């Protein structure tokens, strides 16, 4: 069965939505991604934060360009808003990941 030429609508522009869109485009589909945010996604935290092995897999398969800029992280900080600029740190945990902003 060929999916070439199908019109695909994807709800949500997260990493999975964008990866699905890329896969459908590569198979000849017409794709539109619907994102509910009415503003640009600039200044939305760390961007797309994914485990390092997943980033390597997505790069190997061509979903992310090899020269795509990212920030490597080894630790995740859990913060609680307390009125200060950065909040109070509740705990830290190991969390090797890559953030693409």
């Amino acid at each position: 069965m060929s999916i070439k030429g199908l019109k695909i609508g994807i709800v949500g522009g997260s990493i999975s939505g964008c990866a699905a869109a890329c896969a459908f485009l590569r198979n000849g589909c017409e794709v539109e991604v619907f994102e509910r945010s009415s503003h640009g996604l600039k200044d939305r935290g760390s961007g797309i934060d994914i485990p390092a092995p997943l980033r390597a897999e997505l790069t190997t398969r061509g979903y992310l360009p090899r020269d795509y800029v990212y920030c490597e992280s080894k630790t995740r900080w859990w913060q609680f808003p307390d009125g200060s600029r950065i909040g109070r740190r509740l705990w830290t945990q190991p969390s090797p990941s890559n953030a693409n902003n």
Side-chain angles (χ1 to χ4, degrees):
M1 179 179 135
S2 174
I3 62 171
K4 188 174 183 176
L6 288 178
K7 292 183 178 184
I8 307 288
I10 297 175
V11 178
S14 67
I15 186 68
S16 58
C18 290
C22 289
F24 282 121
L25 283 169
R26 289 179 177 187
N27 283 285
C29 297
E30 184 180 326
V31 180
E32 187 167 354
V33 178
F34 298 93
E35 172 59 47
R36 74 175 166 182
S37 176
S38 60
H39 301 17
L41 299 179
K42 187 176 180 183
D43 298 328
R44 291 271 186 140
S46 65
I48 298 173
D49 197 22
I50 57 177
L54 175 58
R55 183 185 188 285
E57 177 77 15
L58 292 173
T59 302
T60 299
R61 292 181 179 254
Y63 289 101
L64 290 175
R66 293 194 181 281
D67 61 350
Y68 197 73
V69 178
Y70 68 95
C71 176
E72 188 174 346
S73 172
K74 303 262 188 239
T75 307
R76 174 175 280 180
W77 297 344
W78 296 89
Q79 306 284 115
F80 179 77
D82 65 356
S84 68
R85 187 173 69 82
I86 62 170
R88 179 174 54 118
R89 186 173 306 163
L90 300 175
W91 68 86
T92 60
Q93 74 183 67
S95 180
S97 61
N98 298 147
N100 300 303
N101 205 359

